[in-house]
Amino acid sequence: MHGQPRQPKKPEDSAVAAAKAAKLRELQTQVLHNHHTATYTEEVLGLSFKLLEINPEAYMAWNYRKLALQHNLKDLSDLEAIKSSVDNELRVVEAALRANPKSYGAWYHRKWLLNQKLTPVDSKREFGLLDKLLKVDARNFHGWNYRRFLAKFTGVPEEDELKYTMVKICDNFSNYSAWHNRSILLSNLLIQQNKGFESKQEIFKEEFDLVTQALFTDPSDQSGWFYHLWLLAQTSSPEKPQLIASWPCNDAKLSLFQIRKNDDLNMVSSSSSICCYSLKDRIIPIVLYFDEPVKGLNPSNVKLNSDLVIGKDIQWRPLSVTDSGYSNCWVTYLEITDKECSSSQQLSVEVCIPCSDDIVSRSGSNCNCPVHFTFTIEQSNNDDKAHDIDLFHEPISWSCSESFQSDGNPSCVAFDQLNITNTVVQENSKWHLEGLSDQIDLFRELPDENSKFAKLTLARLLLACAAIKSRGNSLIERKGYCEEALGLFSDLINLDPSHKRYYEDERSLVLMDQLDSLSLSKCDQSCGILTLFLNYAHSS
């Protein structure tokens, strides 16, 4: 158990161990024989009890006792006799736990007994047993796991269990199991939005204050730092997935021009429309960009209303898939035929995303912010430019407010229609940024400048802020956060050389992220995304 150093073995201990091993082998042989012959008398059951007192991890003995109990209760109808048999099993478990409080087999057998629901559960007895065990070892995770099971089984409110974790934490800030149980309970209460737990913002502010007291009391203890890391992960991630950008944007007007290769591109642009020229088979992409990776987009939860989609198989596909099909960016394609888009015809496309349980983020949150936007597509008829068109190899170009500049690379045009507006991001992430910024200021003032946990946590806080800033246009602020985090990782390499490789890996990830940000300038970003669209469309 925790805090109990190993004692060197003495010569006489070997003789005792040998005698114990011989007795153990004899008991195992007898119990295994009784197990195979299905002998369940009271006398032979006593042998399994003696075996479990010596070795609580003898799974064969626990399985044997399960079968014996079921066999012996099969013909019993007297409630007192049933209760007596169950109590006897509970006493066997308690004897095993005295020998080893962390016996998997013993704890599992006790859970199994309660799940049989043979007699009413004596809550006072069960919680009393846990109190005794947790006084001996407050971080016995088997005991905490059983307590979660017992509280749920007996209907104890999670609010009451949360108060219990507070008692244990106040007794000892180093009780990692209590912190861990607190994170589980808080997660459940916030998801269920129980009374007093409707606001994630208020709850997490209080939790940050609580764990900060523990960290400043003993910066060298890991328990509080792990809980702080959990809070950080919850605070830096969006609460609900939201659509923060789209192409086309709301009320956009797309003019489909047909031009020859040698035509002056400036002749086909306008300040009020988006120009799409030389599309292979006139395929128009629709792009949706969420503030966190999601999955589950399909025609039933992302509805397209337009003459262009009638009778067509519309499929939403992820771009830059992360893991298990989650992606920030999703795309589908509309094909415009000559019949659908004549020189005098204007087509309207309506995109509607209602609240949907099918669109889910990696954190398990559902998209519950309804979205609705429309755009129009028209074909501009230019007699001078309406023939000899190559619709297969030219790139796609978009412009919002500027004329195209023919610089030898017409695809390098600002992709302004998919810009993520900082206003939207800042509004959605306001309390996240405020909470993280407060923590950054706090840890910058931590008295122990050589605390590796403090430096690592500060670096993680900075990178969390940088991640939120990357969802908008605050690239200068984001760069500042990353630069400071890089300095902290360099300090950690010198301060904690035993974990040098880990810090170097973390530093490399930040450096690579910065390189990606530099390469994705507005011009490069448009080229990269548009090339991806074309490749995706051509391969479909």
Side-chain angles (χ1 to χ4, degrees):
M1 290 185 291
H2 299 286
Q4 295 186 5
R6 295 180 181 272
Q7 300 293 334
K9 291 185 177 181
K10 300 177 182 179
E12 54 268 26
D13 293 337
S14 299
V16 173
K20 182 178 178 181
K23 183 179 180 181
L24 183 63
R25 284 193 296 270
E26 182 183 353
L27 283 170
Q28 286 176 331
T29 302
Q30 291 175 322
V31 173
L32 186 60
H33 173 74
N34 294 328
H35 191 9
H36 287 164
T37 58
T39 305
Y40 302 128
T41 63
E42 186 175 344
E43 182 182 355
V44 297
L45 277 173
L47 294 175
S48 66
F49 172 60
K50 290 180 181 179
L51 172 60
L52 290 168
E53 274 190 310
I54 300 173
N55 179 20
E57 296 304 322
Y59 282 92
M60 174 268 297
W62 290 117
N63 291 334
Y64 168 68
R65 292 195 70 89
K66 289 181 179 66
L67 293 173
L69 182 66
Q70 291 173 333
H71 177 271
N72 292 334
L73 292 181
K74 186 169 54 177
D75 299 324
L76 280 182
S77 58
D78 181 56
L79 294 179
E80 285 300 319
I82 295 173
K83 185 176 183 304
S84 177
S85 297
V86 172
D87 286 344
N88 185 55
E89 283 300 303
L90 292 173
R91 283 192 291 271
V92 172
V93 174
E94 289 167 16
L97 290 175
R98 281 194 291 271
N100 180 10
K102 294 184 178 180
S103 167
Y104 285 89
W107 286 111
Y108 181 79
H109 194 71
R110 200 170 188 89
K111 285 183 182 179
W112 177 83
L113 277 172
L114 266 59
N115 276 321
Q116 300 309 299
K117 299 180 180 179
L118 298 169
T119 59
V121 177
D122 187 346
S123 299
K124 185 177 180 180
R125 173 182 180 174
E126 295 302 309
F127 282 106
L129 171 67
L130 282 172
D131 287 339
K132 291 177 181 178
L133 287 169
L134 292 177
K135 282 181 181 178
V136 175
D137 181 6
R139 293 181 290 180
N140 184 339
F141 69 91
H142 295 274
W144 283 97
N145 184 41
Y146 184 72
R147 188 177 182 94
R148 284 191 291 274
F149 160 80
L150 187 61
K152 185 176 181 180
F153 191 84
T154 57
V156 177
E158 290 183 317
E159 294 89 339
D160 292 349
E161 285 298 289
L162 193 67
K163 292 176 183 177
Y164 180 79
T165 64
M166 189 72 257
V167 171
K168 287 298 182 182
I169 289 170
C170 289
D171 289 342
N172 182 6
F173 277 148
S174 185
N175 192 336
Y176 172 75
S177 296
W179 288 111
H180 173 67
N181 203 44
R182 190 170 185 83
S183 69
I184 294 175
L185 293 166
L186 272 179
S187 297
N188 294 339
L189 290 168
L190 287 168
I191 291 172
Q192 298 162 9
Q193 291 193 327
N194 288 27
K195 186 177 180 181
F197 295 88
E198 300 90 350
S199 172
K200 191 175 182 181
Q201 178 179 354
E202 292 301 319
I203 294 298
F204 276 30
K205 184 179 183 301
E206 294 174 2
E207 292 303 303
F208 271 122
D209 291 341
L210 170 65
V211 75
T212 300
Q213 295 179 40
L215 298 179
F216 276 70
T217 301
D218 185 4
S220 63
D221 184 75
Q222 298 184 47
S223 301
W225 292 108
F226 280 118
Y227 187 70
H228 188 278
L229 180 60
W230 175 78
L231 288 175
L232 169 58
Q234 303 303 307
T235 307
S236 58
S237 60
E239 292 186 68
K240 299 287 183 180
Q242 290 186 334
L243 184 75
I244 57 176
S246 67
W247 192 90
C249 61
N250 190 35
D251 293 330
K253 296 180 181 179
L254 278 66
S255 296
L256 182 61
F257 287 78
Q258 295 182 338
I259 62 174
R260 291 187 294 268
K261 288 183 178 181
N262 297 325
D263 288 332
D264 184 358
L265 295 179
N266 290 303
M267 299 294 292
V268 297
S269 65
S270 67
S271 60
S272 60
S273 65
I274 304 167
C275 301
C276 307
Y277 66 93
S278 300
L279 271 74
K280 179 181 182 291
D281 298 331
R282 294 177 185 168
I283 295 175
I284 305 292
I286 300 177
V287 187
L288 304 177
Y289 192 88
F290 293 84
D291 59 354
E292 63 174 320
V294 298
K295 71 175 181 179
L297 276 72
N298 57 60
S300 65
N301 54 41
V302 183
K303 302 181 184 298
L304 297 182
N305 298 319
S306 172
D307 292 338
L308 295 175
V309 302
I310 296 177
K312 295 181 179 178
D313 183 23
I314 301 297
Q315 297 294 330
W316 288 95
R317 305 176 184 180
L319 295 179
S320 303
V321 177
T322 52
D323 59 305
S324 303
Y326 293 93
S327 178
N328 288 83
C329 196
W330 288 75
V331 64
T332 193
Y333 301 93
L334 296 181
E335 181 180 354
I336 305 173
T337 64
D338 290 332
K339 181 179 180 181
E340 290 171 323
C341 191
S342 64
S343 59
S344 60
Q345 187 178 14
Q346 185 179 80
L347 295 170
S348 176
V349 180
E350 179 184 41
V351 181
C352 181
I353 308 177
C355 294
S356 174
D357 292 336
D358 297 329
I359 302 177
V360 184
S361 69
R362 277 183 297 187
S363 61
S365 302
N366 303 113
C367 185
N368 63 351
C369 300
V371 175
H372 176 270
F373 65 91
T374 59
F375 61 92
T376 57
I377 304 171
E378 63 179 4
Q379 178 168 307
S380 179
N381 185 26
N382 189 328
D383 293 336
D384 295 331
K385 306 175 186 285
H387 57 278
D388 298 331
I389 305 155
D390 182 359
L391 295 179
F392 291 86
H393 304 296
E394 292 289 334
I396 307 172
S397 291
W398 284 276
S399 180
C400 182
S401 59
E402 300 177 0
S403 298
F404 290 131
Q405 300 298 321
S406 182
D407 57 1
N409 190 0
S411 64
C412 289
V413 179
F415 192 40
D416 293 332
Q417 293 301 316
L418 193 55
N419 274 358
I420 304 168
T421 59
N422 201 45
T423 304
V424 175
V425 176
Q426 292 293 346
E427 185 63 29
N428 293 339
S429 306
K430 186 176 179 181
W431 81 263
H432 300 265
L433 284 169
E434 288 177 352
L436 295 175
S437 297
D438 290 344
Q439 289 294 301
I440 288 172
D441 294 338
L442 189 65
F443 282 105
R444 282 173 176 160
E445 299 173 0
L446 190 70
D448 188 355
E449 296 182 356
N450 292 322
S451 171
K452 63 179 182 181
F453 298 116
K455 286 183 179 292
L456 181 57
T457 300
L458 181 55
R460 286 168 170 165
L461 286 164
L462 292 164
L463 294 176
C465 281
I468 293 176
K469 291 292 184 181
S470 69
R471 300 176 199 153
N473 295 326
S474 308
L475 297 181
I476 296 177
E477 289 182 78
R478 182 179 182 278
K479 182 180 178 182
Y481 288 130
C482 291
E483 292 292 343
E484 187 175 352
L486 286 172
L488 289 166
F489 284 125
S490 297
D491 292 344
L492 283 164
I493 290 171
N494 297 323
L495 182 64
D496 184 21
S498 61
H499 297 95
K500 176 183 176 181
R501 298 298 184 190
Y502 171 76
Y503 301 132
E504 287 178 340
D505 287 345
E506 292 295 302
R507 186 176 62 180
S508 297
L509 290 174
V510 180
L511 289 170
M512 291 181 68
D513 187 56
Q514 284 189 311
L515 287 175
D516 289 341
S517 299
L518 288 172
S519 64
L520 290 177
S521 61
K522 273 192 172 183
C523 178
D524 292 332
Q525 187 178 18
S526 66
C527 293
I529 296 177
L530 301 183
T531 301
L532 189 55
F533 287 162
L534 272 180
N535 292 339
Y536 212 160
H538 289 190
S539 64
S540 300

